[in-house]
């Protein structure tokens, strides 16, 4: 693996780790805002977190179908976040939405369009 491919691997790893950390942040802040732990919601959110982690791992391993699924699901998440930014709530309440939008858009860009990431995925596919 040359330096360009390592750069792509590191960029992808940073983006995917940011998405996973954002998912954990959403899980924790939801229950903190409630003031108690809703066990039925917690189970669903933990399952979602595990599936997200699995999908991100498979994207990192270079599976094309996982990248396609990642792209579709991340784009849908962004489409859900955009209208929520324009509601009439206070700007302090919108900071997590902006953060999520930035993390998702950077991850989409890095996984799908960054030249070093494409080189990394080609390297992974050639050595599988």
């Amino acid at each position: 693996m040359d330096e360009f491919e390592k750069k792509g691997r590191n960029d992808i790893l940073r983006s995917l780790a940011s998405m996973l950390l954002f998912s954990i942040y959403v899980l924790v802040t939801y229950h903190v805002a409630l003031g108690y732990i809703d066990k039925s919601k917690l189970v669903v959110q933990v399952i979602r977190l595990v599936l997200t982690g699995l999908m991100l791992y498979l994207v990192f391993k270079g599976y094309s179908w996982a990248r396609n699924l990642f792209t579709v699901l991340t784009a849908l998440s962004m489409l859900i976040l955009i209208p929520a930014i324009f509601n009439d709530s206070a700007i302090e309440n919108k900071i997590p939405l902006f953060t999520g939008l930035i993390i998702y858009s950077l991850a989409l860009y890095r996984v799908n369009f960054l030249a070093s990431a494409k080189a990394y995925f080609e390297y992974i596919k050639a050595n599988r």
Side-chain angles (χ1 to χ4, degrees):
M1 183 180 302
D2 65 7
E3 290 300 316
F4 193 61
E5 292 160 346
K6 284 182 184 178
K7 181 184 180 323
R9 181 193 65 198
N10 292 338
D11 286 341
I12 291 168
L13 189 58
R14 278 192 290 268
S15 291
L16 299 181
S18 297
M19 287 187 72
L20 194 59
L21 286 174
F22 184 72
S23 292
I24 293 170
Y25 167 78
V26 168
L27 187 146
V28 170
T29 55
Y30 174 79
H31 291 284
V32 168
L34 280 179
Y36 64 94
I37 295 177
D38 184 359
K39 292 180 182 167
S40 63
K41 291 274 189 181
L42 182 63
V43 169
V44 171
Q45 289 175 335
V46 168
I47 291 171
R48 181 187 57 84
L49 181 66
V50 169
L51 290 175
T52 300
L54 178 64
M55 182 185 64
L56 296 178
Y57 173 75
L58 293 172
V59 168
F60 184 71
K61 287 299 185 179
Y63 292 100
S64 297
W65 64 268
R67 278 195 345 226
N68 293 336
L69 180 64
F70 167 82
T71 300
V72 169
L73 292 177
T74 305
L76 285 174
S77 298
M78 289 175 62
L79 288 175
I80 292 169
L81 281 175
I82 289 171
I85 290 174
F86 295 107
N87 66 9
D88 292 335
S89 64
I91 191 72
E92 305 85 46
N93 298 338
K94 296 179 183 180
I95 292 172
L97 301 176
F98 286 122
T99 305
L101 196 59
I102 290 168
I103 289 171
Y104 289 169
S105 61
L106 285 174
L108 269 179
Y109 170 74
R110 287 180 173 163
V111 167
N112 292 309
F113 301 112
L114 197 64
S116 60
K118 287 182 181 181
Y120 169 71
F121 285 132
E122 288 173 10
Y123 171 81
I124 289 294
K125 189 179 273 188
N127 292 318
R128 196 175 306 153

